[in-house]
């Protein structure tokens, strides 16, 4: 989809649908001009339908030749009109009471994503390939524009490369015109940013949606090489022999039951003048059968998603240079399948991670923390300023937080808060769990330094406590997002399937340095 920025001339826009976003005072501004062009019929229809301009409200109006655009879609963006907070709204983002002009309510991502969602769904119903959007005066901030464009690009996503018949028979929007008072450079930059971060998010979605028969560790490694060429990154890819030489016994232990060879992927982006270095690590289990601690059929069915952490990290790296991220970013993706082959690691075996820590593997299904143990140890050895890891680590996080929130834990309160904020700004929700000191004893092992499972409660926290053993003194945050990486039903700008969760928050955070 092409996005163009134009000076406001909505009455003349030759598009299939003209979208007018309005607040409660909808009669003001450009609306009056349009209404006059259609002989006052637009306002009459809006009155008739009792439109209050609340978020998610919309009125469709047919222009019958009075304007070049056959349809006007009036969409409410008045957050003050939302009486009931959606279940997905954290308290800090709840809509302000009616009449309030609180900036937080106005710029809530949900307002703009709802608008985007309406443009996508109504556009599809109308078989529109060209749309124009008019934002009300004073609302065309770069941030709002970025979210609208991002939302539309994300909402249009379909994964149909394995369908013999296209998912949607009507073509999607091809041209989007954004109409503003003054097409300033800051607005153009916002659109360009939206295009990059939406592309990265959709790239992560593609990797996660694609079956494990295709997305193997070597496939991810080839993708990493491609990304490295495109973004001019340094790439180091270790095969099984090199992984062994590097002493990554935990990653090797997980990989030994699989016919697919493992890979350890390292990408480095170093812009000139960078004064900080951020390390990202992403769990890259391309299929998690559980190993000998085999999952049941239901639990296993969804495990092609177990490389979502690696996908998010690779997706971030796929746009780092395009977005001119101002910090050095080092990416680490330990990638393998977790399979119960004849050589598979057995419960009770002990592996040694590359920092020397020995781990008793009592449950082979707690494999994510094993591969990340090596990745975090490698990351920490490079002495970055901070480390962030993303992993579909535990099923327990979904029990704790449901499907709209992911868990975050860490050793640095400011880092954790910054990531929670960055996520909130793009409509994704992170909730901090405590790294309870009293639970640390649960992973003491009788035969090795630590064991890979706890005593059966607080599974997500135990996962965090385990990973903490490998980051040394480097400030670190861990995101366990098994709960949010795939949507079972569509919401906001996410169709069913992979959401690409985590990509935009990371990009937003990295931009902010
Ligand atoms: N890959 C799973 C976690 C998962 C579950 C991801 C559902 C996506 C959807 C992980 O490797 C796992 O199996 N964790 C175990 C840990 C347990 C054995 C301590 C779990 O959560 O049951
Ligand atoms: Zn597992
Ligand atoms: Zn797993």
């Amino acid at each position: 989809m092409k996005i163009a920025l134009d000076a406001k001339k909505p009455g003349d826009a030759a598009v299939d649908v003209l979208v007018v976003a309005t607040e409660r005072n909808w009669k003001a501004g450009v609306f009056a001009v349009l209404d006059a062009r259609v002989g006052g019929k637009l306002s009459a229809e809006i009155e008739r339908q009792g439109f209050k301009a609340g978020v998610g409200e919309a009125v469709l109006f047919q222009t019958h030749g009075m304007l070049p655009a056959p349809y006007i879609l009036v969409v409410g963006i008045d957050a003050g009109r939302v009486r009931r907070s959606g279940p997905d709204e954290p308290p800090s983002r709840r809509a302000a009471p009616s009449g309030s002009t609180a900036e937080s309510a106005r710029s809530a991502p949900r307002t703009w994503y709802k608008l985007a969602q309406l443009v996508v769904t109504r556009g599809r119903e109308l078989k529109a390939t060209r749309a124009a959007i008019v934002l009300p005066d004073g609302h065309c901030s770069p941030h709002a524009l970025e979210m609208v464009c991002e939302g539309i690009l994300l909402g249009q996503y379909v994964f149909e490369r394995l369908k013999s018949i296209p998912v949607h028979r009507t073509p999607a929007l091809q041209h989007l015109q954004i109409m503003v008072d003054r097409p300033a450079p800051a607005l153009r930059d916002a659109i360009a940013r939206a295009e990059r971060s939406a592309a990265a998010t959709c790239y992560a979605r593609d990797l996660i949606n694609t079956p494990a028969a295709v997305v193997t560790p070597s496939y991810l490694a080839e993708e990493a090489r491609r990304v490295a060429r495109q973004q001019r990154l340094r790439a180091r890819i270790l095969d099984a022999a090199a992984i062994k030489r590097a002493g990554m016994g935990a990653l090797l232990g997980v990989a030994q039951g699989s016919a697919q060879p493992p890979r350890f992927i390292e990408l480095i982006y170093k812009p000139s003048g960078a004064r900080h270095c951020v390390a990202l690590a992403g769990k890259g289990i391309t299929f998690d059968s559980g190993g000998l601690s085999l999952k049941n059929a239901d639990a296993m069915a969804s495990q092609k998603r177990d490389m979502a952490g690696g996908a998010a990290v690779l997706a971030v790296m796929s746009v780092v240079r395009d977005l001119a991220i101002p910090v050095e970013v080092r990416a680490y993706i330990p990638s393998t399948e977790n399979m119960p082959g004849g050589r598979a690691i057995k419960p009770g075996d002990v592996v040694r991670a590359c920092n020397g820590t020995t781990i008793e593997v009592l449950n082979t299904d707690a494999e994510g923390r094993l591969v990340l143990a090596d990745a975090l140890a490698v990351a920490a050895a490079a002495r970055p300023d901070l480390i962030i890891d993303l992993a579909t680590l535990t099923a327990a996080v979904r029990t704790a937080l449901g499907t709209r929130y992911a868990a975050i834990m860490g050793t640095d309160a400011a880092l954790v808060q910054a990531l929670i904020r960055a996520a909130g700004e793009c409509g994704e929700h992170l909730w901090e769990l405590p790294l309870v000191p009293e639970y640390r004893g649960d992973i003491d092992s009788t035969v090795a330094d630590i064991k890979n499972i706890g005593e059966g409660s607080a599974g997500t926290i135990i996962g965090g406590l385990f990973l903490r053993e490998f980051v040394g003194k480097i400030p670190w945050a861990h995101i366990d997002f098994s709960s949010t990486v795939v949507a079972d039903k569509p919401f906001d700008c996410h169709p069913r399937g992979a959401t690409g969760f985590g990509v935009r928050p990371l990009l937003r955070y990295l931009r902010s340095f």
Side-chain angles (χ1 to χ4, degrees), residues 17 29 32 45 67 72 87 105 152 211 213 240 254 345 370 374 436 494 499 506:
V17 57
E45 181 59 19
L67 290 182
I72 297 176
I152 294 174
V254 175
I345 190 164
L370 297 175
D374 275 326
V436 184
H494 301 293
T499 56
L506 281 180

Side-chain angles (χ1 to χ4, degrees), residues 283 285 288 290 295 299 302-303 305-306 338 363-369 392-398 452-454 459 462 480-483 485:
K283 171 177 173 182
I285 299 292
D288 182 10
K295 288 182 183 295
S302 63
Q303 289 301 322
R305 77 180 66 172
D306 213 18
N338 184 26
N363 188 320
T364 65
D365 198 11
E367 84 299 339
R369 61 199 72 184
T392 46
L393 208 73
T394 64
V397 67
R398 186 177 167 145
N452 78 332
I453 49 168
I462 294 290
D480 184 343
F481 63 176
S482 304
S483 45
V485 292

Side-chain angles (χ1 to χ4, degrees), residues 121-194:
T121 53
R122 294 302 187 92
R124 221 172 250 151
E125 283 162 22
L126 298 172
K127 302 187 174 27
T129 59
R130 296 163 306 160
I133 300 186
V134 195
L135 296 178
D137 297 342
H139 266 293
C140 220
S141 69
H143 184 61
L145 196 56
E146 189 175 337
M147 282 187 287
V148 172
C149 293
E150 229 174 61
I152 294 174
L153 291 163
L154 293 174
Q156 295 229 95
Y157 174 87
V158 280
F159 181 70
E160 58 182 6
R161 65 179 67 160
L162 301 173
K163 294 270 189 194
S164 49
I165 302 167
V167 177
H168 299 290
R169 282 156 194 272
T170 53
L173 285 180
Q174 314 278 316
H175 298 278
L176 180 66
Q177 239 175 306
I178 308 278
M179 301 194 151
V180 295
D181 292 327
R182 264 173 300 112
L187 297 178
R188 286 191 199 288
D189 292 348
I191 294 174
R193 276 198 305 272

Side-chain angles (χ1 to χ4, degrees), residues 48 52 84 259:
R48 195 185 67 77
K52 299 283 190 297
R84 190 173 48 83

